[in-house]
């Protein structure tokens, strides 16, 4: 079994002592890759992958969605976490004193466990209202990759049109837009419990995320809005810079950002449209 050597100073001490026929002053400590150690390393790697590079203006997925991202079946976060610390499948799993399995395996074994989504609310079987979020592989995600040339948005060789796609309430005709950390832009449906802003990103950090209305290849309206990524001003700047560089007339784009004043939005548009 692979062993991880620690305490390099101790190893040097042992080697020197052996050369001098003296007992070592410090023992060599080894840590075996036990199942618990492997789980720890896997969790640590997952956390590292979730961390945005703030100096690059990236946004990371909110921690309340991490279980949804980590779940191999990507069950919706409300079914997994609930809306407080005492609800959802996670709470039921923690209450099972006889449990010896991980959360996701336990849920697979107890699909009809009674849960509520908020403390003191009526309970229901998990399977009755669980949603499964689409998390696409990189190959699958290419179907939603868009190119922009001289202000025209295309998927493949076709002009993009989002008006027929499912969307958020109050944002009819708008589709989810995500700028991956490599700069590639993806546009896809938004449908609660099925399609989210993490659907093409595997939950990893992004440069921007929101909702966009595109009619026959022309961008009309944009909302800086994503429950998963909670985008702020740096993410709006990434979007404006990217679109302006691709020939989009951002002066004609109707922009909404609930945490940014309209005067500040107009100033950013002037800045990036030069």
């Amino acid at each position: 079994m692979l062993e991880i050597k620690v305490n390099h100073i101790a190893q040097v001490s042992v080697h020197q002592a052996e050369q001098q026929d003296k007992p070592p002053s410090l023992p060599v400590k080894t840590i075996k890759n036990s199942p618990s150690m492997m789980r720890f390393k896997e969790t640590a790697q997952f956390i590292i992958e979730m961390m945005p590079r703030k100096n690059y203006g990236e946004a990371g997925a909110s921690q309340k969605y991490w279980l949804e991202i980590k779940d191999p079946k990507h069950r919706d976060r409300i079914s997994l976490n609930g809306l407080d610390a005492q609800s959802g499948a996670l709470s039921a799993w923690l209450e099972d004193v006889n449990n010896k399995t991980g959360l996701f395996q336990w849920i697979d074994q107890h699909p009809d466990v009674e849960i509520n989504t908020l403390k003191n609310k009526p309970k229901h079987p998990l399977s009755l209202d669980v949603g499964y979020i689409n998390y696409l592989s990189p190959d699958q995600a290419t179907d939603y990759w868009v190119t922009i040339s001289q202000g025209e948005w295309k998927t493949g060789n076709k002009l993009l049109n989002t008006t027929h796609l499912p969307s958020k309430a109050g944002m009819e005709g708008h589709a989810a837009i995500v700028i991956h950390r490599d700069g590639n832009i993806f546009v896809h449906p938004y449908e609660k419990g099925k399609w989210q802003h993490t659907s093409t990103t595997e939950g990893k950090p992004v440069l921007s995320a929101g909702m966009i209305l595109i009619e026959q290849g022309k961008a009309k309206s944009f909302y800086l809005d994503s429950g998963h990524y909670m985008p702020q001003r740096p993410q709006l700047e990434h979007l404006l810079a990217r679109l302006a560089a691709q020939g989009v007339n951002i002066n004609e784009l109707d922009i909404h950002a609930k945490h940014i004043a309209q005067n500040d939005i107009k100033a950013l548009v002037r800045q990036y449209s030069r």
Side-chain angles (χ1 to χ4, degrees), residues 113-270:
V113 62
E114 293 281 323
I115 69 164
N116 55 10
T117 56
L118 195 63
K119 182 183 177 183
N120 298 327
K121 291 290 185 180
K123 291 190 174 185
H124 64 272
L126 172 64
S127 61
L128 186 65
D129 197 32
V130 64
Y132 293 87
I133 311 302
N134 290 321
Y135 274 69
L136 307 182
S137 69
D139 285 343
Q140 292 170 326
T142 58
D143 290 341
Y144 301 95
W145 175 60
V146 302
T147 58
I148 309 172
S149 178
Q150 297 180 335
E152 284 192 336
W153 299 62
K154 291 183 178 181
T155 52
N157 294 320
K158 295 182 179 180
L159 291 176
L160 183 59
N161 184 24
T162 66
T163 57
H164 64 289
L165 297 177
S167 186
K168 289 189 175 187
M171 301 182 193
E172 287 71 18
H174 291 70
I177 178 173
V178 181
I179 303 181
H180 288 208
R181 64 195 327 178
D182 62 5
N184 283 311
I185 300 176
F186 293 78
V187 175
H188 58 77
Y190 180 93
E191 189 172 358
K192 189 174 182 179
K194 292 184 179 180
W195 289 93
Q196 308 284 359
H197 282 97
T198 47
S199 287
T200 65
T201 69
E202 299 179 314
K204 294 182 174 64
V206 299
L207 294 178
S208 191
M211 303 293 296
I212 194 161
L213 171 64
I214 300 171
E215 296 179 354
Q216 297 304 313
K218 295 294 183 181
K220 301 293 185 179
S221 172
F222 172 77
Y223 284 83
L224 188 70
D225 186 292
S226 168
H228 279 69
Y229 287 109
M230 307 293 287
Q232 302 294 325
R233 182 184 176 116
Q235 288 73 57
L236 178 58
E237 292 195 49
H238 271 301
L239 177 94
L240 294 175
R242 182 74 173 168
L243 299 192
Q246 299 299 318
V248 176
N249 186 349
I250 57 177
N251 289 286
E252 296 180 352
L253 191 62
D254 187 16
I255 300 173
H256 307 266
K258 54 188 173 184
H259 299 300
I260 306 175
Q262 276 298 318
N263 285 340
D264 291 337
I265 293 174
K266 291 177 181 178
L268 288 173
V269 170
R270 288 194 298 270

Side-chain angles (χ1 to χ4, degrees), residues 66-110:
W66 282 14
L67 282 181
E68 174 192 296
I69 295 167
K70 191 78 169 62
D71 181 6
K73 295 184 178 179
H74 304 296
R75 283 161 278 224
D76 70 281
R77 76 99 178 171
I78 293 179
S79 295
L80 291 173
N81 300 37
L83 296 172
D84 58 30
Q86 294 176 292
S87 58
L90 176 62
S91 177
W93 174 70
L94 291 171
E95 290 173 358
D96 185 353
V97 295
N98 297 316
N99 171 49
K100 294 183 179 180
T101 61
L103 171 62
F104 306 126
Q105 183 181 354
W106 183 87
I107 295 174
D108 290 339
Q109 295 171 354
H110 302 80

